[in-house]
């Protein structure tokens, strides 16, 4: 007897064919494939399901520009708003000399300029958004402390903290603008950011004068509290 194998068929099917005289040919069924056994798990162990990854929605370039420009507006506004409030500060501390009171203005500007480059490098290492939020928070807290300062020495110390916060938020805000715009529109975004900073410097004296006339020099610092909260939120 000659045994041949035909093409695969359904398990259990048979076919018989006739051959030459005196011989017979039988076709045997193909063996059925063994079913795959289920995955064995130890008792008490649940199967692990891969988490579904979701992409975080990125802010638009316009939103980045608005937030970054608002932060820069805060820093440059405070560099000129206190100049108008200086005579009122002098009346609040009549025993302090002019040289000592001048540090209320100079401490902010010196610290602001001295830490710009270093703060920009730290923002590159630790994250631009993180340093921006930390700078705005430090600037806002220092502004409140300046408003309630009972002495000139404390006012100068809090102005140092203010300048440090401004030095943190300005380069990080510019870096956010550079990162948020594509190369074709990047120059336009930087120009708008610079325009916001220039407008803040120009609005400082009239805003400072209006606040001092309405209340006192302390209001010139307290105005940064709602602005800083808006920038962080």
């Amino acid at each position: 007897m000659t045994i041949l194998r035909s093409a695969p068929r359904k398990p259990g099917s048979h076919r018989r064919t006739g051959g030459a005289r005196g011989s017979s040919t039988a076709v045997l069924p193909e063996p059925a494939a063994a079913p795959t056994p289920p995955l064995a798990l130890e008792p008490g162990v649940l199967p692990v399901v891969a988490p579904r990854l979701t992409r975080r929605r990125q802010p638009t370039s316009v939103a980045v520009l608005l937030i970054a420009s608002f932060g820069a507006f805060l820093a440059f506004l405070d560099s000129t708003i206190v100049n108008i409030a200086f005579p009122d500060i002098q009346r609040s501390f009549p025993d302090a000399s002019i040289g000592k009171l001048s540090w209320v203005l100079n401490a902010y500007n010196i610290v602001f300029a001295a830490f710009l480059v270093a703060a920009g490098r730290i923002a590159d290492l630790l994250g631009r958004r993180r340093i921006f939020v930390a700078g705005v928070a430090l600037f806002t807290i220092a502004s409140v402390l300046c408003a309630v300062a009972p002495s000139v020495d404390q006012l100068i110390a809090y102005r140092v903290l203010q300048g440090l916060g401004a030095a943190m938020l300005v380069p990080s805000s510019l870096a956010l603008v550079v990162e948020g715009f594509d190369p074709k529109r990047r120059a336009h975004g930087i120009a708008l950011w610079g325009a916001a900073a220039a407008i803040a410097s120009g609005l400082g004296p009239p805003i400072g004068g209006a606040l001092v006339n309405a209340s006192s020099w302390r209001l010139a610092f307290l105005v940064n509290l709602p602005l800083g909260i808006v920038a962080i939120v």
Side-chain angles (χ1 to χ4, degrees), residues 57-69:
R57 185 178 179 182
Q58 297 295 330
T60 63
S61 57
V62 176
V64 172
L65 177 62
L66 290 176
I67 297 173
S69 300

Side-chain angles (χ1 to χ4, degrees), residues 136-147:
V136 174
L138 179 60
F139 181 87
T140 305
I141 294 172
S143 298
V144 176
L145 294 176
C146 288

Side-chain angles (χ1 to χ4, degrees), residues 170-195:
V170 168
S172 57
S173 65
L174 179 58
L176 289 174
V177 174
V178 173
E179 184 181 12
F181 280 80
D182 57 82
K184 294 182 180 180
R185 303 173 54 199
R186 188 168 295 162
H188 183 64
I190 295 175
L192 292 176
W193 178 89

Side-chain angles (χ1 to χ4, degrees), residues 84-173:
I84 302 300
F86 185 79
D88 196 47
I89 296 175
Q90 186 178 9
R91 286 191 292 269
S92 297
F93 304 104
D95 297 334
S97 62
I98 295 295
K100 191 173 185 178
L101 286 172
S102 65
W103 280 103
V104 175
L105 305 176
N106 298 332
Y108 178 86
N109 295 323
I110 292 175
V111 174
F112 180 29
F115 284 92
L116 273 176
V117 177
R121 179 56 180 168
I122 294 174
D124 292 335
L125 296 176
L126 301 181
R128 299 174 179 91
R129 184 179 181 276
R130 183 180 303 174
I131 297 300
F132 175 79
V133 173
V136 174
L138 179 60
F139 181 87
T140 305
I141 294 172
S143 298
V144 176
L145 294 176
C146 288
V148 299
S151 65
V152 177
D153 294 332
Q154 293 185 22
L155 180 58
I156 294 173
Y158 297 147
R159 286 285 284 174
V160 171
L161 292 178
Q162 241 191 343
L164 183 60
M168 293 172 62
L169 69 91
V170 168
S172 57
S173 65

Side-chain angles (χ1 to χ4, degrees), residues 52 191 219:
R52 191 174 183 180
L219 189 59

